Amino acid sequence: MDDLIAQLEQLTSQIMFQIHEVSSEALEAFVDQRQAIIDLMLERTGGHEATVAEQTRLKAIMDNDQAILKRMNDLKIEAKDWLIQRNQAKAQKNAYEVSYAVDSIIVDTKRY
């Protein structure tokens, strides 16, 4: 169990070292690796409670969760804003590319 906690500590410290520059893909890989380690921990413990020392180490790891979640939320907002901006640009482009009927006739009703 100690080796798995050490892996979690190392993984968390790596992501926290670059938290402000980390990409969404790197965060996704982090979450997948973290979940795999947690699954292994659950298998090994068989439902038994962790020791006080292990609980302390795990709590220290979990103290970083707020910063990680904040970065995930920032990336989500950034992606949402990008999509909104892209859709607005697309709508503006479509407004200029409206196809008019080629066979239309202009009638001049001007009288002299």
Side-chain angles (χ1 to χ4, degrees):
M1 179 89 154
D2 283 337
D3 60 329
L4 294 175
I5 294 175
Q7 287 178 19
L8 273 177
E9 289 170 336
Q10 180 183 9
L11 189 63
T12 304
S13 68
Q14 287 173 348
I15 204 75
M16 290 306 294
F17 181 71
Q18 57 183 359
I19 192 70
H20 297 292
E21 297 90 28
V22 71
S23 68
S24 59
E25 292 84 11
L27 276 174
E28 183 180 357
F30 164 76
V31 170
D32 290 342
Q33 290 173 336
R34 181 176 165 167
Q35 188 61 49
I37 294 170
I38 291 170
D39 290 344
L40 279 172
M41 290 172 78
L42 291 173
E43 277 181 30
R44 287 189 185 176
T45 60
H48 296 85
E49 197 168 309
T51 66
V52 174
E54 292 171 342
Q55 288 178 2
T56 304
R57 289 173 68 192
L58 290 171
K59 179 161 178 15
I61 292 169
M62 290 174 51
D63 287 342
N64 297 304
D65 284 357
Q66 286 301 325
I68 294 167
L69 287 172
K70 183 183 179 320
R71 179 63 180 158
M72 287 177 167
N73 194 41
D74 290 346
L75 288 170
K76 179 181 121 181
I77 291 169
E78 187 179 305
K80 180 182 129 197
D81 290 345
W82 180 84
L83 283 173
I84 289 170
Q85 186 178 24
R86 179 168 175 183
N87 287 336
Q88 287 174 345
K90 196 184 281 187
Q92 289 173 352
K93 180 182 173 189
N94 288 340
Y96 286 108
E97 293 180 351
V98 174
S99 59
Y100 297 99
V102 178
D103 296 332
S104 61
I105 299 173
I106 298 176
V107 177
D108 187 6
T109 58
K110 193 176 195 184
R111 296 180 191 219
Y112 295 100

